[in-house]
Amino acid sequence: MTIRLLVVDDDPLVRAGLTFMLGGRDDLEIVGEASDGSQVEELADRLCPDVVLMDIRMPNVDGLTATESLRARSDAPEVIVLTTFHADEQVVRALRAGAAGFVLKDTAPAEIVAAVRRVAAGEPVLSPAVTRQLMRQVAGAPEDAGEGRAARARARIGQLAEREREVAVAVGRGLSNAQISAALFLSVPTVKTHVSRVLAKLGLNNRVQIALLVHDAGLLDDEGDVR
C-alpha cells in the first residue's frame, strides 16, 4: 500500500526538504503541500491523504486549529505534528485534539520515514521518554489543574470493563500491544480488540489520547513509569 502524504509548513525550505526526503520512497507519495492551516481541509477533501505532517506555528490558521478540524471528520487522516520543541503546550493540545504523535524537525530522515509508516499502520509516534515528558507537561499545565479534571477522567474510565481498564492503563504506561499481551496474558488480537473498545467507549481517536486520559485520572504510579 502506498501511503499518501500531505506536508503542511509555512517554511518553503522545510517543505522542500521533507518532500525530497520522503518522496523517493517506494511506499510513500507526497500528494500535496500547504503553507498554512487554512488550506488543509480543502486539500484533504481533494487529495485524500493518509497522513498529514503538520507544522504547529503558522501565520494565519495554526496547526492546532487545523488538526482539531481534521480530526473531527469521520474520514480523518492521521496527523503527525512537526515541531522544534520536545513537549511544549501546543504539542500537548494537538495530541489531545487527536494527533497521532509528533516528530522534531531535526529528526533523522530515516526516523521520520519510520514515524510516517507507524502512524499509517495505526501506531502512535511517542517514545517512552517523550511520553514521560508529556505526562509531566500535562501535570504542570495550569488549565488542566484541579480535582475537576481528575474526577471527569475517572468518571470516563469508570465506563470501562475491568479488563478494558487494565489495557487502558497499560497503554498509558507506553506498552506496545505485544508487551500488553505478555503482561496481561492475552493474545495480541485480543489486546487490539480491547484497545478498539476503549477508544469507542471513551470517544477517543488514538492511543495517545488514552494515555493522556489515564494520566488525568491518576491511574499511573507516582513516577509516571512508562516501560
Side-chain angles (χ1 to χ4, degrees), residues 27-49:
D27 60 337
L28 304 180
E29 178 186 3
I30 307 294
V31 296
E33 299 179 20
S35 59
D36 190 75
S38 61
Q39 304 165 339
V40 170
E41 287 204 76
E42 185 273 331
L43 288 173
D45 283 336
R46 180 158 54 87
L47 302 174
C48 302

Side-chain angles (χ1 to χ4, degrees), residues 29-128:
E29 178 186 3
I30 307 294
V31 296
E33 299 179 20
S35 59
D36 190 75
S38 61
Q39 304 165 339
V40 170
E41 287 204 76
E42 185 273 331
L43 288 173
D45 283 336
R46 180 158 54 87
L47 302 174
C48 302
D50 301 304
V51 177
V52 178
L53 289 173
M54 181 83 74
D55 187 22
I56 285 288
R57 293 170 176 83
M58 291 179 284
N60 297 311
V61 175
D62 62 38
L64 173 62
T65 302
T67 296
E68 290 172 337
S69 298
L70 276 181
R71 294 302 300 170
R73 299 156 58 111
S74 59
D75 57 346
E78 298 292 350
V79 176
I80 299 176
V81 174
L82 294 170
T83 181
T84 55
F85 297 90
H86 280 275
D88 74 349
E89 179 182 339
Q90 286 188 305
V91 171
V92 174
R93 290 176 61 194
L95 295 174
R96 286 194 183 279
F102 71 90
V103 295
L104 300 177
K105 289 186 178 181
D106 60 358
T107 298
E111 293 181 29
I112 295 181
V113 171
V116 169
R117 289 170 176 159
R118 285 182 58 189
V119 164
E123 301 177 23
V125 181
L126 288 176
S127 70

